[in-house]
Amino acid sequence: ETGVTQTPRHLVMGMTNKKSLKCEQHLGHNAMYWYKQSAKKPLELMFVYSLEERVENNSVPSRFSPECPNSSHLFLHLHTLQPEDSALYLCASSSRGGPDTGELFFGEGSRLTVL
Amino acid sequence: RKEVEQDPGPFNVPEGATVAFNCTYSNSASQSFFWYRQDCRKEPKLLMSVYSSGNEDGRFTAQLNRASQYISLLIRDSKLSDSATYLCVVNRPNQGGKLIFGQGTELSVKP
């Protein structure tokens, strides 16, 4: 069983819908991340939170809105997405952020399809 | 030039074969290097860190060449269960240390 859980595992939404992805880590880590994985492309870092503060916003369109209410939970709010946003969205956590991030622990991902 | 570049493969090898993956990175200031493994439709998991002097974990050997900005992973005596995508990961130290992933190299071990 993974120490990082993501829900939902699968999501299909229309371009006008609003939905949210949820991530919870049970590892006592201080940093949490959202990555996007599209077919045949490297994982793309979207957002980084360290001690609940956003420390990285990697030029992600505003239709993706992260929220980190505490060090164990991370959300990705989605609205007016485009079909090209269909991908696997992976949440990860690490014991520390900054220059020496250490090992990333990933959740199983939320597979998003935008119609 | 991509920050982290890998041969995407696929590498198709018989059981028992030795296979090597290469990875190049563009940022000479990078200090942390890793190999992750991702099984089909699963999340990436850390396989091993890569240390300057090279390191070994059972059948797996990782090497780092800082002068050439090159990392390698050697798998000896391949097993069917080694079939997966192997991701080269490098940190970007002057931007909060975030980890940059390569595209991954797909390995398929056949009986």
Side-chain angles (χ1 to χ4, degrees), chain A residues 2 9-10 35 37 40-43 45 48 56 58 88 90 97-104 106-109 111, chain B residues 2 4 32 34 36 38 41-46 87 89 91-93 95-104 106:
Chain A
T2 179
R9 295 291 310 282
H10 300 273
Y35 280 87
Q37 188 173 36
K40 305 297 183 188
K41 293 175 77 173
L43 270 75
L45 179 64
V48 180
E56 182 80 25
N58 210 26
L88 181 68
L90 289 160
D100 183 20
T101 301
E103 180 180 356
L104 289 176
F106 285 89
E108 293 181 291
R111 187 163 296 280
Chain B
K2 292 180 185 177
V4 180
S32 301
F34 309 90
Y36 276 70
Q38 186 171 23
R41 306 191 76 80
K42 304 284 275 183
E43 75 277 18
K45 293 184 179 178
L46 179 67
L87 305 169
V89 185
N91 82 322
R92 190 192 282 172
Q95 286 195 22
K98 66 183 186 181
L99 296 182
I100 306 301
F101 284 74
Q103 182 182 1
E106 185 182 343

